[in-house]
Amino acid sequence: MLGLVNDALTLDKQLCFALYSASRATTAVYRPLLDDLGITYPQYLVMLALWERDELSVSELGDRLGLDSGTLSPLLKRIEALSLVTRERSPGDERRVDIRLTEAGRALRSAAAHVPE
């Protein structure tokens, strides 16, 4: 019956909605900090992974972030347009695309040091 307070299908009883709301709230807190750096939250996550280990393949980066290549490729193109990373085919395996930080990408790490605080 519609409208029952104890109905399992009420919005407030959905764990997925609570997680979605928490994710949006977290992203909103990060937004002004990352705006100062000129990057978005998903771009920040990519940079965090690369600051941990420079030179990852698109596949490795996708595994690390839980993103598929269809989501990750346009994201990497935008980060490359900001001159923070380069994307190059691996000389040993043309199917592999390697992502490396540029000097500007490495320098952004210092500027982002305050973000986790």
Side-chain angles (χ1 to χ4, degrees), residues 43 68-81 87:
Q43 292 169 342
D68 61 41
S69 63
T71 301
L72 193 53
S73 291
L75 181 57
L76 291 170
K77 284 181 184 178
R78 289 191 297 273
I79 299 171
E80 186 177 36
R87 295 178 305 143

Side-chain angles (χ1 to χ4, degrees), residues 11-22:
L11 188 59
D12 290 339
K13 291 194 177 193
Q14 304 304 306
L15 177 61
C16 59
F17 180 68
L19 293 171
Y20 169 77
S21 296

Side-chain angles (χ1 to χ4, degrees), residues 22-77:
S23 175
R24 287 183 45 87
T26 300
T27 302
V29 169
Y30 275 81
R31 187 172 294 116
L33 301 169
L34 299 177
D35 282 348
D36 291 344
L37 300 175
I39 59 175
T40 64
Y41 185 72
Q43 292 169 342
Y44 175 64
L45 297 179
V46 168
M47 297 306 292
L48 286 171
L50 289 168
W51 291 329
E52 263 182 51
R53 183 176 145 215
D54 195 356
E55 190 178 330
L56 291 169
S57 71
V58 171
S59 175
E60 291 168 328
L61 189 56
D63 289 346
R64 183 79 172 102
L65 297 174
L67 297 173
D68 61 41
S69 63
T71 301
L72 193 53
S73 291
L75 181 57
L76 291 170
K77 284 181 184 178

